[in-house]
mmCIF file of all heavy atoms in Angstrom:
data_model
loop_
_atom_site.group_PDB
_atom_site.id
_atom_site.type_symbol
_atom_site.label_atom_id
_atom_site.label_comp_id
_atom_site.label_asym_id
_atom_site.label_seq_id
_atom_site.Cartn_x
_atom_site.Cartn_y
_atom_site.Cartn_z
ATOM 1 N N VAL A 415 112.573 100.039 73.786
ATOM 2 C CA VAL A 415 111.289 100.607 73.432
ATOM 3 C C VAL A 415 111.400 101.030 71.984
ATOM 4 O O VAL A 415 112.165 101.938 71.626
ATOM 5 C CB VAL A 415 110.924 101.803 74.333
ATOM 6 C CG1 VAL A 415 109.568 102.406 73.925
ATOM 7 C CG2 VAL A 415 110.859 101.353 75.795
ATOM 8 N N VAL A 416 110.650 100.346 71.112
ATOM 9 C CA VAL A 416 110.842 100.413 69.668
ATOM 10 C C VAL A 416 109.496 100.772 69.011
ATOM 11 O O VAL A 416 108.444 100.293 69.461
ATOM 12 C CB VAL A 416 111.337 99.042 69.135
ATOM 13 C CG1 VAL A 416 111.485 99.027 67.636
ATOM 14 C CG2 VAL A 416 112.652 98.659 69.808
ATOM 15 N N ILE A 417 109.491 101.579 67.971
ATOM 16 C CA ILE A 417 108.263 101.862 67.259
ATOM 17 C C ILE A 417 107.759 100.597 66.589
ATOM 18 O O ILE A 417 108.533 99.757 66.125
ATOM 19 C CB ILE A 417 108.437 102.958 66.202
ATOM 20 C CG1 ILE A 417 109.482 102.578 65.148
ATOM 21 C CG2 ILE A 417 108.770 104.302 66.871
ATOM 22 C CD1 ILE A 417 109.565 103.510 63.957
ATOM 23 N N ASN A 418 106.435 100.441 66.555
ATOM 24 C CA ASN A 418 105.836 99.421 65.701
ATOM 25 C C ASN A 418 105.607 100.107 64.337
ATOM 26 O O ASN A 418 104.818 101.048 64.251
ATOM 27 C CB ASN A 418 104.490 98.932 66.292
ATOM 28 C CG ASN A 418 103.923 97.749 65.509
ATOM 29 O OD1 ASN A 418 103.994 97.706 64.283
ATOM 30 N ND2 ASN A 418 103.369 96.784 66.225
ATOM 31 N N VAL A 419 106.283 99.637 63.338
ATOM 32 C CA VAL A 419 106.268 100.343 62.037
ATOM 33 C C VAL A 419 104.923 100.203 61.327
ATOM 34 O O VAL A 419 104.688 100.903 60.348
ATOM 35 C CB VAL A 419 107.416 99.873 61.120
ATOM 36 C CG1 VAL A 419 108.760 100.239 61.721
ATOM 37 C CG2 VAL A 419 107.309 98.374 60.827
ATOM 38 N N SER A 420 104.042 99.338 61.842
ATOM 39 C CA SER A 420 102.683 99.251 61.320
ATOM 40 C C SER A 420 101.727 99.546 62.494
ATOM 41 O O SER A 420 101.076 98.671 63.044
ATOM 42 C CB SER A 420 102.392 97.842 60.765
ATOM 43 O OG SER A 420 103.285 97.550 59.705
ATOM 44 N N PRO A 421 101.639 100.828 62.891
ATOM 45 C CA PRO A 421 100.911 101.166 64.137
ATOM 46 C C PRO A 421 99.413 100.987 64.010
ATOM 47 O O PRO A 421 98.814 101.256 62.986
ATOM 48 C CB PRO A 421 101.274 102.642 64.332
ATOM 49 C CG PRO A 421 101.551 103.159 62.962
ATOM 50 C CD PRO A 421 102.171 102.001 62.234
ATOM 51 N N LEU A 422 98.805 100.516 65.115
ATOM 52 C CA LEU A 422 97.349 100.408 65.176
ATOM 53 C C LEU A 422 96.727 101.619 65.864
ATOM 54 O O LEU A 422 95.545 101.856 65.730
ATOM 55 C CB LEU A 422 96.892 99.104 65.828
ATOM 56 C CG LEU A 422 97.280 98.805 67.277
ATOM 57 C CD1 LEU A 422 96.344 99.470 68.269
ATOM 58 C CD2 LEU A 422 97.267 97.294 67.505
ATOM 59 N N GLU A 423 97.534 102.376 66.627
ATOM 60 C CA GLU A 423 97.063 103.594 67.269
ATOM 61 C C GLU A 423 98.260 104.468 67.565
ATOM 62 O O GLU A 423 99.406 104.067 67.366
ATOM 63 C CB GLU A 423 96.287 103.270 68.567
ATOM 64 C CG GLU A 423 94.809 103.674 68.563
ATOM 65 C CD GLU A 423 94.546 105.180 68.503
ATOM 66 O OE1 GLU A 423 95.503 105.973 68.297
ATOM 67 O OE2 GLU A 423 93.374 105.563 68.649
ATOM 68 N N PHE A 424 97.951 105.694 68.030
ATOM 69 C CA PHE A 424 99.020 106.642 68.362
ATOM 70 C C PHE A 424 99.935 106.054 69.435
ATOM 71 O O PHE A 424 99.502 105.447 70.407
ATOM 72 C CB PHE A 424 98.396 107.943 68.867
ATOM 73 C CG PHE A 424 99.407 108.933 69.384
ATOM 74 C CD1 PHE A 424 100.259 109.598 68.502
ATOM 75 C CD2 PHE A 424 99.544 109.160 70.738
ATOM 76 C CE1 PHE A 424 101.213 110.487 68.990
ATOM 77 C CE2 PHE A 424 100.485 110.062 71.199
ATOM 78 C CZ PHE A 424 101.321 110.722 70.334
ATOM 79 N N GLY A 425 101.225 106.270 69.236
ATOM 80 C CA GLY A 425 102.203 105.809 70.237
ATOM 81 C C GLY A 425 102.428 104.314 70.295
ATOM 82 O O GLY A 425 102.961 103.810 71.281
ATOM 83 N N HIS A 426 102.075 103.591 69.244
ATOM 84 C CA HIS A 426 102.173 102.141 69.258
ATOM 85 C C HIS A 426 103.664 101.763 69.235
ATOM 86 O O HIS A 426 104.415 102.048 68.304
ATOM 87 C CB HIS A 426 101.473 101.538 68.021
ATOM 88 C CG HIS A 426 101.351 100.057 68.088
ATOM 89 N ND1 HIS A 426 100.685 99.329 67.113
ATOM 90 C CD2 HIS A 426 101.772 99.122 68.974
ATOM 91 C CE1 HIS A 426 100.721 98.055 67.409
ATOM 92 N NE2 HIS A 426 101.395 97.898 68.529
ATOM 93 N N ILE A 427 104.079 101.081 70.309
ATOM 94 C CA ILE A 427 105.462 100.683 70.480
ATOM 95 C C ILE A 427 105.545 99.170 70.779
ATOM 96 O O ILE A 427 104.524 98.515 71.042
ATOM 97 C CB ILE A 427 106.119 101.429 71.660
ATOM 98 C CG1 ILE A 427 105.317 101.217 72.968
ATOM 99 C CG2 ILE A 427 106.291 102.914 71.333
ATOM 100 C CD1 ILE A 427 106.020 101.631 74.239
ATOM 101 N N LEU A 428 106.760 98.672 70.746
ATOM 102 C CA LEU A 428 107.073 97.321 71.209
ATOM 103 C C LEU A 428 108.071 97.421 72.336
ATOM 104 O O LEU A 428 108.977 98.240 72.312
ATOM 105 C CB LEU A 428 107.642 96.489 70.069
ATOM 106 C CG LEU A 428 106.783 96.358 68.808
ATOM 107 C CD1 LEU A 428 107.552 95.597 67.733
ATOM 108 C CD2 LEU A 428 105.466 95.667 69.084
ATOM 109 N N LEU A 429 107.890 96.567 73.354
ATOM 110 C CA LEU A 429 108.852 96.421 74.437
ATOM 111 C C LEU A 429 109.565 95.087 74.193
ATOM 112 O O LEU A 429 108.944 94.009 74.220
ATOM 113 C CB LEU A 429 108.162 96.404 75.776
ATOM 114 C CG LEU A 429 107.327 97.635 76.145
ATOM 115 C CD1 LEU A 429 106.688 97.460 77.536
ATOM 116 C CD2 LEU A 429 108.137 98.901 76.121
#
Side-chain angles (χ1 to χ4, degrees):
V415 179
V416 178
I417 60 171
N418 188 319
V419 295
S420 301
L422 61 83
E423 243 294 8
F424 173 71
H426 190 176
I427 56 166
L428 303 176
L429 302 179

